[in-house]
Amino acid sequence: MKKLLIICWLLLVSVAVTFAQRQTIKGRISDAETGEPLVMVNVQLKGSTTGTQTDATGAFSLTVPDAQTGVLMISYLGYQALTQNINGNSNIVVKLEKDNKQLDEVVVVGYGEVKKRDLTGAVTSVKGEELRKVPSTNVMESVQGKLPGVDITKSNGAAGAKINVTVRGNRSIRADNGPLYIVDGVQYENIQDINPNDIQSMEVLKDASSTAVYGSRGANGVIIITTKKGASGKPRVFVNTYAGISQVAGYPAMSTGPQYVAQKREANRTTGRWKTEADDPLIFNAAEVASIQNNLWTDYADLLIHDGLQQDYQVGVSGGSEKTKVYLSLDYFDEKGIFKLDHLKRYSARLNLDQTINDYLKVGMQSQVTYYNQDNRRDPLNQANKIVPLNLPYDEDGNLILFPNMGSMINPLADEQPNAYQNNGRVTRTFVNAYVELTPLKGLSFRSNLGVTLDNARTGIFASKNTIERSTASASRSQYNSGSKRYISWENVLNYTQKLGDHTFGLTGVASLLSDQRDSSFLQGEGQLLPAQLYYALQNNVSGIAIRSSYMANKLISFTGRINYNYKGKYLLSLTGRSDGSSKLAPGNKWAFFPSVAGAWRVSDEPFMKSQRVFSDLKIRASYGIAGNDAVPPYATASYLTKIPFSYDDTNSALAYGIGSQIGNRNLKWELSATTDIGLDMSFFNGRIGATIDLYDTKTKDLLLQRTLPSSSGVSTVIQNIGKTRNRGIEIGINTVNVRSRNFSWNSNIVFSKNKEEIVALADANTNDVANGWFIGYPVRVFYDYEKVGIWQTKEADAATAFGYKPGDIKVRDQDGNGVLNSQDRVILGRQVPTWSGGLNNDIRFMNFDLNVYVFARIGQWINSEYAAKYDPQGLENSAPLDYWTPEHETNAYPRPNASVSKDGTPFIRTLGYKDGSFVKIRNISLGYTLPGSALKNLHLTNLRVYVTGKNLFTFSKVKDYDPERGGDLSNPLTKMYVAGLNVEF
């Protein structure tokens, strides 16, 4: 009992001492510049979970165990974080400085860098961390829907599929509309070569002021990629790897055996040839009848489609001294598609080196070598979707049945047999950019860049006579294609910056020479002696020997000048002029001058804005400029001859020559685009909300357009400067900090883009070009056809007869109401470009966990659905299981099957495929975990993060079981992926 009393007494004393040490401290936090109190500032006791926030007057109160040694951590959005020692003070006064880190971020623009606060043009910047959130082989796929004004789609689901990118709509009708890619200051066509882990930042230049410095090359926008560089100090090693399984993102099924049988029976019932099942032998062959009786049928698409696999392994090293900085990266990427024989391997190595020689001389290089080994495959789904399903693919011994059920259609699995089919491409691409940089005087620098890209490729294709491609031929075919490209860029850039009081001047001069040379050869033969020789030993082919070769070259010489001026950092002005000379255009028209002007006013820096608390930053921008485009093939100005076999009689042959199908144009000149842009950059509530808004209007004239000529001219086409287009729209980007505390944060990014694309004039001014599908006032790509309104019903028999049709036929609208259906009743049904697109990105962090959810939408686009049009009214081929009309089942979906009318002969059959292809998809869901610092220290690591990601998981649209981003085709469907990855740094 005595011991118990002593213990209790000691505990009471300890508690009393503890309470005696605890002390309540108070304080007030305000803006250092204005003195205004700051509300909801986080005040945290270092090393503990004790914390509070300031009230409406900027005051706070906090009880701490030790007022002498305690340290407060103070943080507030938009202000610099502060650490404050208590030192026994019971009343603390803190003044926080605004954090201008975002505005002071350096943004890469053409031939230089500027702070974000000093931008006058429409430029979107994305840091490397954002690019790596979506694991992908092509960096442009990872920013789909995240860049205002940039439309990005994946062309198909094959391994290494191309990514389509347009900036602010299609300006040209037939010329290339893709943006210019600049990698480390040098033009580079193959953006898919660049590993996202090697990228430091990406900038997208959209308005004419930003792109004018690139002249004709920047007419369709510019995307600048800056790769990582070495840093002085202890070497850092990065290991990034991921692996994922890909699956078809929805694929609609063709008819089953019973569904096909029902449709073919109905088609022949319409003609009176089939009445009951006893008549099956009249419309099916003996093998098909046996399959019907035994319920034997095959879903070939199910046999062809498999899970794919994608994996990537990258190791990077960054290090160096004060004078020598090195970045080295090695990468291996492997992707197996959803079909056999669809396989891509990519090996790449990057070396970036910067060497400071002395105080005024610096040299370096950025280099990369990429090697591709890719097996492509002719898509087998077209064959699988049309072959009659009433058969089995293999016999009892497991051997492939080449022509099932004695049919004329080859087995869709034929290409997968040994030595049957191979399409293999090998590409080696070497990119080197070496530079010398001189800084002889303060503010003056001269840099000379020499960039060389060497591209060597070969493709070998072999198709035996027992393949889908050669099933109607009598012999195999071998092809061997090779080519090389040599792209040389030499640019000399002079920059001078001078500050005189409140005035700052920046001058830039550029002289450049670009040379592009390409050659190719084509070899072909038929009847390869040994199938195992594939596309080698072409001399062993017995017939069909063909040899072709080609060479193309063009040059571009440019001179550029730019003046940047700002007064007190508030009034900004940029003037740019570039003169380009292109060898592809006609003499007298080779040179053109492209000017631009841009200005900006930093309203938030004005004295009258200091007292307000709504805007943290406010800037108004405006720009106007002209850009050119010479996107035509070399030698388009010249007419060429073609060889024509000629014979005077049966024994005497001779060579003759005629003008080629396209005649040259000696007046060919630049296509010109003039763009006006008005922009607004702003942030609210101490940077908690940031927004960028741009309104733009681009007018393009003198389009480089291939015009069809009358046959009486003796030639088919000519490229001329005819027609006009216009693109105008709005772009909005919003960043919000929804929640930010010590252990939890939630940031959102919203992107909205709306572009109105239209043809203003064509070759004959205001006359539409119906043959090519070009219409004044509409986008370049539209669907022009009759408008299907249903199916003629039995009760409408008289009305149908008046138009020359009967119940069960497709019913279209008589647009002009004249009682006659003809070509004048065709209308624009839909546009192939979206009315608007947008994205919502959410980044959530809790403790060491991070979650990213990204939603992407593309609204207003129409597609020509191959599945919806997959209807054979005769039943000769398989069809989709569609809701077709019968006398007992009247519907407005599909016409009545009819064995006497072919698919092409069915009136208005093309109207079945036009569908609203708008979609919303969950583009990415990623959950990661980063090891805490204590664990990393024990493992001798700087960082370790593991994550799982789902890509393209869910798509919501009116098109069932199909991803409309594919555009309507059933070949090479798009995929979804489930990925697990690891990022390590030590």
Side-chain angles (χ1 to χ4, degrees), residues 521-574:
S521 60
F522 170 85
L523 308 175
Q524 178 179 288
E526 295 181 356
Q528 181 67 286
L529 183 63
L530 297 174
Q533 290 180 328
L534 300 173
Y535 35 79
Y536 301 107
L538 286 179
Q539 67 274 13
N540 294 334
N541 285 267
V542 298
S543 64
I545 302 297
I547 301 174
R548 293 194 298 270
S549 62
S550 68
Y551 171 82
M552 291 193 306
N554 66 87
K555 291 182 173 63
L556 183 73
I557 299 176
S558 305
F559 300 97
T560 307
R562 180 175 63 196
I563 300 174
N564 289 328
Y565 167 76
N566 80 64
Y567 175 67
K568 293 186 175 181
K570 297 185 295 184
Y571 311 109
L572 312 169
L573 179 67
S574 178

Side-chain angles (χ1 to χ4, degrees), residues 49 105 177 296 352 365-366 429 434 458 716 745:
T49 59
E105 283 182 358
N177 282 291
L296 298 177
N352 292 351
M365 73 170 186
Q366 293 84 37
R429 201 150 33 236
R458 79 103 174 106
S716 302
S745 66

Side-chain angles (χ1 to χ4, degrees), residues 771-788:
N772 284 306
W774 301 330
F775 300 91
I776 307 297
Y778 290 91
V780 174
R781 298 192 305 272
V782 297
F783 294 117
Y784 177 71
D785 212 327
Y786 297 94
E787 180 186 0
K788 176 179 174 286

Side-chain angles (χ1 to χ4, degrees), residues 10-157:
L10 290 173
L11 287 173
L12 289 172
V13 171
S14 300
V15 170
V17 170
T18 300
F19 274 99
Q21 290 179 333
R22 294 182 68 85
Q23 182 178 348
T24 298
I25 60 173
K26 296 181 179 181
R28 186 177 182 275
I29 302 177
S30 61
D31 184 298
E33 185 176 356
T34 65
E36 294 289 330
L38 298 178
V39 185
M40 302 289 288
V41 178
N42 291 314
V43 181
Q44 191 86 24
L45 182 63
K46 188 175 181 179
S48 74
T49 59
T50 302
T52 186
Q53 290 183 327
T54 58
D55 59 20
T57 65
F60 71 90
S61 176
L62 186 67
T63 302
V64 298
D66 188 350
Q68 294 297 325
T69 61
V71 178
L72 299 180
M73 295 185 302
I74 301 169
S75 61
Y76 190 49
L77 187 66
Y79 287 79
Q80 298 177 15
L82 182 68
T83 300
Q84 177 75 40
N85 294 319
I86 300 177
N87 290 332
N89 294 329
S90 59
N91 193 7
I92 297 175
V93 176
V94 177
K95 295 183 179 181
L96 293 183
E97 300 281 351
K98 284 189 175 180
D99 186 4
N100 292 317
K101 182 173 60 177
Q102 281 192 332
L103 293 178
D104 290 337
E105 283 182 358
V106 174
V107 176
V108 179
V109 294
Y111 306 109
E113 299 176 341
V114 299
K115 290 183 178 181
K116 192 174 181 180
R117 64 181 296 123
D118 295 333
L119 278 174
T120 57
V123 179
T124 300
S125 180
V126 184
K127 299 306 178 185
E129 294 77 12
E130 183 68 27
L131 302 176
R132 291 185 283 275
K133 287 180 180 177
V134 181
S136 59
T137 176
N138 190 318
V139 66
M140 297 311 300
E141 184 184 358
S142 65
V143 292
Q144 183 187 48
K146 295 183 178 181
L147 304 174
V150 184
D151 188 31
I152 302 174
T153 59
K154 191 170 184 180
S155 59
N156 61 67

